[in-house]
Structure formats: C-alpha cells, structure tokens
Amino acid sequence: MDAAAMNVDGERAGYRRSAGSPRGEARRRELLDRVTDDLAVNGLVDFSLRRAARAAGTTHKVLLYHFDGAEDLLAQAIFQLRERRIGNALAAIAAGPGEQTLAQRVRAVWPALLGEESRVLDQAIGLMMYDPVRYAELGRGASQQYLPTILSICPPEWTDRRKLEVAEMILASLRGFLIDWLTSGSTTGVESGFEALARALDREEAAGD
C-alpha cells in the first residue's frame, strides 16, 4: 500500500477533505496553527494524528477532513515552521542599519535561526535521512523554501548564477553551524565558522560583478 494513503496510526486516510471555502480554509488554518505550535514545543518524536488532534483540540477524523493524512499534515506544519523562521530572519535584517554587507545580513539572521523552530526542523531533516523514500520531500522542500530568501539578500547587481552559487554556500554553511550548535552545545565552532564565512562573503562582494 502507498505510504501516503496511510496515516502514522496505521489508518486509511479516507475522509472527505475541506472543500476550500473561506470558512473551511479558516478552520484548516486554525488547526494547522495549533499543530504547528505543538510541534515547535514537543518536536517530531511520537508525532501521530491523534497527538495532533489533541493539540488542535479536535478529533483525528476532523483533521482528516481538512488534511490528506498525517504525512500531509506534518509536511504542512514543517512548511509553516520554516515560514516563521524566514519571517524572523527577514525581520532581523530589517532591524539593522540601512546599508549592510552580505556578511552582516547573514550574521543578523543567525539568532533568528536559533528560535523554537530550530530543533524541530533539524529533526525533520533527520527524518528525511532516516527514511528518504517516505520523507524525501521534507528535505527537498527546505532548500526550495530557504533559497529564495537568501537570493533576495545577495547584491542585486550580481548575476543570477553568482547569486545562486553564493546562496547555496550560505545555506550549506548555516546548516552545518546549526548541526554543530545543536549537537555540541558549544558556540566556539560556530563562531570560528562564521568568521571564515564572513571573510569569504566579504571577498566575494569586494570582487564586484
């Protein structure tokens, strides 16, 4: 049986889905917000449709009316957690001085990456690595979601190719810093890595287009 047709409690996802009316969409958003809040606090361990229903104050049948099973609900909640992280990062950049180098913008987003979403989003990447067939989209979705934001803070005069190359380097570096910080509990390695990344970005920006 296709894994997408089963929820994590082993039940067939056979209920009607929300028809997309304004009222139905508002209810779906309300339920998703509650489940997302629960994930942010309690993580992915032991996530199930019934746990999500308790967090949302409803039943698993109601959730299956609005979502296409537990994996769909989980993917949408992870997407929302990333959106919160991106919003916090952009707000941190906006709160800085008007003229900022790319390195300064990247430094500004780091505290935003350490919010309540951090542990859960890294768990999602681990889940994708543990079961790439079932959860591959969680990993692919992360890059697709983050890259446009990183591209947007690159110097506008750069070519698209150069922006993408640098954005990929920034994304890979920040992921490494997060893993180091979460697994070691020390900021020493992160601080050293940031210094090296900042120098690389300063050289890249000084080189011009």
Side-chain angles (χ1 to χ4, degrees):
M1 181 179 293
D2 188 336
M6 298 290 293
N7 63 46
V8 292
D9 292 320
E11 297 173 344
R12 185 83 183 185
Y15 296 95
R16 291 182 304 139
R17 296 188 62 189
S18 173
S21 67
R23 182 177 179 181
E25 175 57 25
R27 177 59 171 158
R28 189 195 70 81
R29 174 59 59 181
E30 177 187 7
L31 294 170
L32 181 59
D33 285 343
R34 292 178 181 176
V35 173
T36 303
D37 289 342
D38 175 71
L39 276 181
V41 174
N42 298 311
L44 300 183
V45 178
D46 297 327
F47 178 81
S48 69
L49 203 62
R50 285 189 169 84
R51 171 186 144 185
R54 287 194 299 271
T58 187
T59 67
H60 74 287
K61 292 183 179 181
V62 170
L63 289 181
L64 285 172
Y65 176 82
H66 291 278
F67 302 94
D68 189 17
E71 290 176 21
D72 175 48
L73 176 58
L74 177 61
Q76 292 196 44
I78 292 296
F79 181 92
Q80 184 151 295
L81 281 174
R82 293 192 197 114
E83 287 296 293
R84 291 182 184 181
R85 175 187 263 182
I86 290 169
N88 292 337
L90 290 175
I93 294 173
E99 293 293 329
Q100 300 176 67
T101 65
L102 179 55
Q104 288 173 328
R105 295 188 189 107
V106 173
R107 282 185 184 278
V109 308
W110 177 248
L113 302 184
L114 303 181
E116 63 180 3
E117 306 90 358
S118 179
R119 176 173 59 92
V120 183
L121 293 176
D122 281 331
Q123 286 177 351
I125 297 299
L127 194 62
M128 181 271 296
M129 295 175 67
Y130 174 75
D131 191 344
V133 174
R134 190 175 185 182
Y135 297 108
E137 194 56 38
L138 290 181
R140 287 193 294 266
S143 296
Q144 293 167 357
Q145 210 167 339
Y146 291 136
L147 276 176
T149 299
I150 302 176
L151 290 169
S152 74
I153 66 173
C154 289
E157 67 273 13
W158 283 3
T159 64
D160 290 344
R161 179 175 179 177
R162 187 178 182 189
K163 287 180 183 178
L164 182 59
E165 290 171 347
V166 174
E168 292 279 12
M169 178 181 71
I170 293 171
L171 179 58
S173 298
L174 292 180
R175 278 177 169 162
F177 296 159
L178 281 168
I179 292 173
D180 185 25
W181 175 75
L182 287 167
T183 55
S184 70
S186 171
T187 61
T188 303
V190 172
E191 290 169 355
S192 298
F194 249 113
E195 290 304 317
L197 177 62
R199 288 194 298 269
L201 294 177
D202 284 341
R203 287 194 298 270
E204 189 71 27
E205 197 161 3
D209 190 14

